[in-house]
Amino acid sequence: YIMITMNLLKSSLLLLISSTSVQSFTTTTPSPLASLPRTTKKTVDLARPTTSKTTSTSLAVGTEIVEPSYNLALGSLALGAAFGVPGSPLKSKLSAFLGGIPLTLFGLFLAFQTTTLRFTLDDDNFSLVKSNLESTGENVVVGGENVWSYKSFVNYDVFPSRNFPILIYFKETQTPEDQWNIGPGEQANSEEALAKGAVRGQVHFFPAIGNTEQLIGGFEKHDCAKLDL
């Protein structure tokens, strides 16, 4: 039980770091959002532009909004309950402290992120916005809005798999190059990684708080670069 709990806690900490990095995506210069042909997906009404007290963005007609997914939040809450709820075969004082409480809190955090954030896809860019479609504002680390051109993508993937999404990953070259080796970028841009076929760029991870099939389908539709490593 101790080993299982520690592994789950380790995974939760990794997800926590990744999910907070959702608010820390980087970019150089924001691009204006163009319109897409109207699809059956949820779209934004141009006649009702969104504004913010600080920084706002206007989404064009046809911009596709990735539907939220609470699967990851519910899974974390279920694991927290399994380790912490009275009567559970996995419950003990140690498991409740090491697994139950952290996983439950983390599940609530993921539910909050899923409720308050949205990903959007237009003709040219992939963006992170608030659930009311306002801009998330300037990035607190390097500045610039959370908008990335598809042309800047050098890779993307889903971990551990597309059928069981926990983390979404993408790598881009739009961020200033002097930021690329910060955090996980140091390993992702190492000589060893490049020798295996990696391409240099800024790494981004975020928890699968949106419909993964819709998101990856959008990346494929817009011909985002993907490495077969």
Side-chain angles (χ1 to χ4, degrees):
Y1 292 162
I2 294 176
M3 290 302 298
I4 293 174
T5 304
M6 291 302 293
N7 287 333
L8 288 172
L9 183 58
K10 183 178 179 181
S11 299
S12 297
L13 290 174
L14 176 60
L15 279 170
L16 181 58
I17 294 171
S18 302
S19 52
T20 51
S21 72
V22 170
Q23 297 278 15
S24 302
F25 285 157
T26 55
T27 183
T28 50
T29 54
S31 303
L33 299 177
S35 61
L36 281 172
R38 188 171 295 276
T39 67
T40 57
K41 304 292 184 181
K42 183 178 179 181
T43 57
V44 181
D45 186 358
L46 185 61
R48 194 167 54 85
T50 59
T51 58
S52 171
K53 293 181 180 179
T54 54
T55 307
S56 63
T57 186
S58 297
L59 302 182
V61 169
T63 296
E64 186 176 337
I65 303 170
V66 177
E67 295 294 332
S69 172
Y70 288 88
N71 292 343
L72 197 57
L74 292 175
S76 295
L77 289 171
L79 284 173
F83 281 101
V85 170
S88 168
L90 298 178
K91 183 184 180 300
S92 69
K93 290 183 179 180
L94 184 61
S95 68
F97 178 75
L98 293 179
I101 295 174
L103 285 168
T104 299
L105 293 176
F106 183 62
L108 293 173
F109 172 74
L110 285 175
F112 174 77
Q113 293 282 66
T114 305
T115 302
T116 58
L117 296 174
R118 293 291 181 272
F119 298 106
T120 65
L121 303 158
D122 74 1
D123 254 343
D124 302 304
N125 306 296
F126 164 59
S127 308
L128 171 72
V129 298
K130 297 178 182 179
S131 59
N132 61 3
L133 306 184
E134 292 180 351
S135 168
T136 50
E138 185 170 299
N139 185 274
V140 296
V141 179
V142 296
E145 286 194 276
N146 296 314
V147 180
W148 303 272
S149 168
Y150 301 126
K151 294 180 180 179
S152 72
F153 276 46
V154 295
N155 196 19
Y156 65 88
D157 212 337
V158 182
F159 298 108
S161 73
R162 188 165 174 173
N163 292 327
F164 186 61
I166 293 179
L167 286 176
I168 309 297
Y169 152 85
F170 76 95
K171 196 175 189 182
E172 44 81 14
T173 57
Q174 182 172 293
T175 298
E177 188 172 349
D178 60 357
Q179 304 290 327
W180 291 358
N181 288 339
I182 294 177
E186 183 175 1
Q187 181 177 353
N189 294 310
S190 66
E191 292 298 327
E192 181 181 356
L194 296 177
K196 294 179 180 178
V199 177
R200 298 187 72 246
Q202 174 68 47
V203 174
H204 300 278
F205 288 95
F206 57 89
I209 58 175
N211 184 311
T212 306
E213 284 301 308
Q214 185 181 356
L215 181 60
I216 299 302
F219 290 168
E220 293 173 342
K221 175 182 177 181
H222 296 290
D223 297 320
C224 294
K226 188 179 189 312
L227 299 176
D228 186 16
L229 299 177

